[in-house]
Each structure stands twice: as structure tokens, then as C-alpha cells.
Amino acid sequence: MALTQRFLECSDDASFAGVFRVLTPQLLAFYRARGCEAGLAEDLAQEVMLTVYRKAGQLRDRALFRPWVFRIAKNALCQHYGRCARQVDTVDVADGLERLAAANTEAATPAFEFMAWMSVLDAGERDAMTLRFIEQWEYHEIAAEKSIPI
């Protein structure tokens, strides 16, 4: 409590170092208890401590310092999971080109070329391409139908 008060009164590097030494293990335990692996827990704890260092002056009620820190920790974890949920898997185009070359296509028309490219895709990708370019569906319609992000 004395370390916290000293940090809140005089937010310098020395007072923050004491708060950092006390809170970081608690934050790591907080994240591990929620299933985070060690590396992620350390990254999130550092992110939280950086926020604490930068925004400690905005805290209105100093008695609520600890709950404030753990609310920041909870929000950081929610933001991390939100970023993970929005990540989209990418495809290596070079791999697709190699598979297409291996298919030994002799496309004489754009339709044959399209079908050759379609044969390189997996079933889900083929369905999306069929809906978009053959059935003329809009991207948002495909996303809604397949329950995938646009």
C-alpha cells in the first residue's frame, strides 16, 4: 500500500519500479488462472503496467488503485481475444501457384482457366468462389450464409 501511495504521489521511475515488482507477479497469476500461456501472460502484464504508468494520474480515487489495475488487466485480455477472433487465416499464393502448375492445365478459354484455378482451392474456398463469381452473390451474403467474416 505504501508503494502504491508513493507511486501515485510521485510518479517517477523509482516509485514505479516498486509497484511493478509487486503487481507483475499478481498480474501473471491473474492471466494464468484464465488459461493464458506464460508468454501471453507476460506480454499482457507488461501492457497493463505500461498503461498504469501512463495513466496513473487519471485515477480519481486512489483507494481504488488495485481494482483499477485489474480492470485494465481484464480489458487487455478482452481486447486480446477480440483481436484473435478478428484474425483471418491467410493463404500462401506461391503454394497455390505450385499446385496449379502441377495440375498441368491447358486452358484455352477463361472458363477452363477458372475451373483450373477452382480445382486448386479447398472445398470451402471453392464454395465461396462459386457463390461470388458464378451465382453473383455479394460478399456480405456469402459471409452470412457461411458464417464467416467478410
Side-chain angles (χ1 to χ4, degrees):
M1 191 64 159
L3 288 172
T4 302
Q5 290 301 328
R6 193 174 74 156
F7 169 67
L8 292 174
E9 290 170 6
C10 177
S11 297
D12 61 0
D13 291 347
S15 62
F16 178 71
V19 171
F20 187 88
R21 278 192 304 274
V22 170
L23 286 179
T24 299
Q26 295 173 16
L27 288 168
L28 292 173
F30 173 83
Y31 287 125
R32 281 192 301 258
R34 282 150 184 82
C36 295
E37 61 185 40
L40 175 60
E42 289 176 12
D43 289 346
L44 290 172
Q46 287 182 8
E47 181 180 327
V48 169
M49 293 309 296
L50 177 62
T51 302
V52 167
Y53 182 77
R54 290 177 50 228
K55 297 191 176 188
Q58 297 175 5
L59 183 62
R60 292 185 191 126
D61 187 355
R62 292 180 176 188
L64 298 176
F65 178 76
R66 184 176 165 79
W68 175 71
V69 170
F70 282 92
R71 179 166 303 269
I72 293 170
K74 181 183 140 245
N75 290 342
L77 185 59
C78 290
Q79 289 172 352
H80 168 74
Y81 285 139
R83 284 189 300 269
C84 289
R86 289 187 300 275
Q87 283 183 332
V88 178
D89 292 334
T90 57
V91 177
D92 185 11
V93 175
D95 184 40
L97 292 174
E98 289 172 8
R99 290 191 314 191
L100 182 63
N104 192 14
T105 60
E106 297 177 8
T109 66
F112 285 118
E113 187 175 335
F114 178 76
M115 294 310 291
W117 277 103
M118 291 288 282
S119 70
V120 173
L121 303 175
D122 67 31
E125 293 168 336
R126 245 189 330 272
D127 290 345
M129 295 297 283
T130 301
L131 291 174
R132 177 66 185 118
F133 295 105
I134 296 174
E135 301 293 329
Q136 300 293 312
W137 285 28
E138 296 295 326
Y139 292 112
H140 68 275
E141 295 171 324
I142 298 169
E145 175 69 24
K146 298 292 182 182
S147 299
I148 56 175
I150 290 180

